[in-house]
Amino acid sequence: MENKSTVFQNEMLKTIIDSAHEGIVVVDEKGKIIYINKSYCEFLEKEQEEVIGKHVTEVIENTRMHIVVQTGKEEMADLQYIKGNYMIANRIPIVINGRIVGAVGTVIFRDVHEWKRMNSHIKSLLLQLQTYLEERNEDNGAKYTLRDIVSQSKQMEMLKERVKRIADSDVSVLIRGESGTGKELFAHSIHQLSSRSHKPFIKVNCGAIPDHLLESELFGYEEGAFTGAKKGGKKGKFQLADGGTVFLDEIGDMPLHMQVKLLRVLQEKEIEPVGATKTVPVDVRIIAATNRPLEKLIEEKRFREDLYYRINVVSIFIPPLRERPEDLSALVHHFVNKISKRLGKRITAIDENVWHIFSQHSWPGNIRELENVMEVAVHFAEGETITVEALPEYLRANSVYQLQGKTLKQLLEETEKAIIKKSLSLHQNDKVKAAEALGISKSTMYEKIKKYGLDG
């Protein structure tokens, strides 16, 4: 029987722990809650009596207390997502006579808004530091190397080996592939592996610069060359890249009159700034990229054949993502790690249904599309697992149904119902807007809503 002193001490200790601002929970060796303080219960909006004896996973969102009991390893200052906010959690195993008998956990949530402000400030500082380091270490203009090209397929590994072989020569390279396959990453990598790596890498987006500005952008201009010209003139991209590499992205969009001038630069190794009376020698290597069928453009007289042969000394074709499914898993995990670190989230798993959707999708936007999808998925993931619900709308709507013995009519109706439901949700239940988005009449929309019981 406990004496009065022991009872008093226990009550005093309980009062102190209950009044603590931090959430405190204790579990036994099976992960069942044997104690939880008042502050934690108030935050979780639960009563102490109702949670004692329950397994911790039934009570606390994204808990790892039961895992700490199994591993015996403490976890300090871990981010835990609870009730829509990130908390700082500490988890420590309780060991008596060399045996793990439970674990104690604490969660800091005294001022959630203050923590969120601090978290945003720290992220901002880290991004500024990262930008500064990138600018300092990569002042030649090239940011990527072959290490940044994530792959495990045989064709991509062979492509990387080919890049290593041709990088140190001065031959012109034409990189071809669909939009989003990573053509720019390969251009950067070639420059970084070449003897010109200590010199500038200058990118020119031939499709983004207006025709009337392209010549002055590429070759520069002299003072007084035209109205508004800067005093002292301006150096063009080719002069800025002297000794280094010029990357002509989307070269298939270059107008014909500029193709003639570019051909002269490649042949004579000199440029003529706008308004100049003499030429300027330049030493640059050309790497060009396009997703357009240049051979067809040549037939249509929209691309010069002589320029094509000048830039196409070595050709590199990057296969689309749908033709190298072996790379999908590696890329997904790469983007999850990259994005979750930036967002301060903890993602440990991807649902099997998500993998099924990914394997069925044709990825018309290739790696760029996949990265955008993972950005959305990580952002909207609830807990530590990416589920179908976190994916962008178009992927969920296009997900392939399992047959499971259903007739074609049943499958079509299920698909139609799901798409109408998603469209209504997307347009805040505005039936007219949802109908317009799906390309059906208002009356047809009302019929479908009634048919599938979506008006409740």
Side-chain angles (χ1 to χ4, degrees), residues 295-308:
E295 293 80 6
K296 187 177 180 182
L297 294 181
I298 291 170
E299 289 177 14
E300 297 170 352
K301 307 296 183 186
R302 292 162 63 193
F303 200 87
R304 292 183 63 95
E305 189 172 11
D306 45 7
L307 177 60
Y308 172 78

Side-chain angles (χ1 to χ4, degrees), residues 133-415:
L133 290 173
E134 285 175 353
E135 288 175 353
R136 184 168 178 228
N137 294 329
E138 297 162 358
D139 56 3
N140 67 351
K143 297 185 290 184
Y144 308 108
T145 67
L146 285 180
R147 290 192 301 273
D148 296 301
I149 301 172
V150 179
S151 65
Q152 55 187 26
S153 62
K154 187 176 179 181
Q155 57 262 55
M156 288 298 286
E157 294 308 304
M158 289 173 65
L159 204 52
K160 289 181 185 179
E161 288 301 316
R162 188 166 186 227
V163 164
K164 291 176 186 177
R165 289 197 301 271
I166 59 99
D168 206 31
S169 66
D170 261 352
V171 296
S172 298
V173 180
L174 178 61
I175 305 173
R176 311 186 71 164
E178 293 179 8
S179 179
T181 48
K183 296 186 289 296
E184 185 171 345
L185 268 67
F186 273 93
H188 283 243
S189 301
I190 292 169
H191 176 76
Q192 296 282 44
L193 289 170
S194 73
S195 57
R196 296 174 178 265
S197 60
H198 63 292
K199 294 290 186 177
F201 175 90
I202 303 293
K203 176 186 174 181
V204 179
N205 190 325
C206 301
I209 303 173
D211 288 3
H212 66 284
L213 295 178
L214 192 55
E215 183 175 1
S216 60
E217 277 293 313
L218 288 180
F219 308 135
Y221 57 79
E222 293 289 296
E223 182 177 338
F226 49 83
T227 304
K230 290 169 77 175
K231 187 176 180 181
K234 178 186 173 182
K235 287 185 176 181
K237 303 291 189 184
F238 275 77
Q239 280 178 284
L240 293 173
D242 193 32
T245 303
V246 172
F247 174 45
L248 299 171
D249 197 12
E250 298 183 26
I251 196 169
D253 294 330
M254 181 177 279
L256 277 169
H257 75 277
M258 281 304 301
Q259 293 178 30
V260 176
K261 293 179 182 292
L262 176 61
L263 182 62
R264 183 186 171 189
V265 173
L266 298 180
Q267 289 173 335
E268 308 297 332
K269 299 189 184 303
E270 59 184 24
I271 61 163
E272 186 176 331
V274 177
T277 55
K278 59 180 181 179
T279 59
V280 179
V282 289
D283 170 28
V284 296
R285 181 190 194 170
I286 297 294
I287 300 176
T290 186
N291 61 0
R292 304 192 67 186
L294 294 185
E295 293 80 6
K296 187 177 180 182
L297 294 181
I298 291 170
E299 289 177 14
E300 297 170 352
K301 307 296 183 186
R302 292 162 63 193
F303 200 87
R304 292 183 63 95
E305 189 172 11
D306 45 7
L307 177 60
Y308 172 78
Y309 289 116
R310 276 282 178 178
I311 63 173
N312 193 30
V313 178
V314 173
S315 183
I316 289 177
F317 175 74
I318 306 173
L321 184 55
R322 63 182 172 275
E323 292 180 10
R324 44 187 175 103
E326 311 96 303
D327 290 337
L328 187 61
S329 176
L331 284 162
V332 166
H333 286 107
H334 167 72
F335 288 135
V336 165
N337 291 333
K338 172 184 170 183
I339 296 163
S340 58
K341 280 181 183 177
R342 176 163 50 80
L343 296 179
K345 298 196 73 170
R346 182 190 180 101
I347 301 294
T348 59
I350 298 171
D351 190 271
E352 278 299 318
N353 292 321
V354 172
W355 285 117
H356 178 72
I357 291 173
F358 283 0
S359 66
Q360 298 296 317
H361 188 55
S362 62
W363 299 106
N366 294 291
I367 316 299
R368 188 180 296 121
E369 179 188 2
L370 178 59
E371 183 170 12
N372 290 339
V373 165
M374 297 317 300
E375 181 87 33
V376 173
V378 172
H379 186 83
F380 286 105
E382 294 185 4
E384 297 181 8
T385 301
I386 290 177
T387 61
V388 173
E389 288 70 29
L391 298 180
E393 178 74 20
Y394 76 95
L395 274 179
R396 285 183 281 148
N398 292 334
S399 60
V400 179
Y401 283 78
Q402 299 294 323
L403 292 177
Q404 298 174 339
K406 296 172 184 174
T407 65
L408 178 60
K409 182 182 177 184
Q410 288 173 317
L411 290 168
L412 290 173
E413 286 179 344
E414 284 183 8
T415 305

Side-chain angles (χ1 to χ4, degrees), residues 54-95:
K54 286 187 176 181
H55 196 272
V56 68
T57 55
E58 298 176 45
V59 179
I60 302 173
E61 185 182 359
N62 297 317
T63 183
R64 289 176 55 82
M65 292 291 291
H66 58 302
I67 296 173
V68 170
V69 171
Q70 295 168 4
T71 64
K73 295 179 180 178
E74 68 176 35
E75 297 180 356
M76 305 299 289
D78 187 30
L79 283 178
Q80 184 173 343
Y81 190 77
I82 308 175
K83 294 179 72 65
N85 292 291
Y86 283 100
M87 309 298 174
I88 302 174
N90 296 321
R91 310 178 190 97
I92 303 170
I94 302 171
V95 182

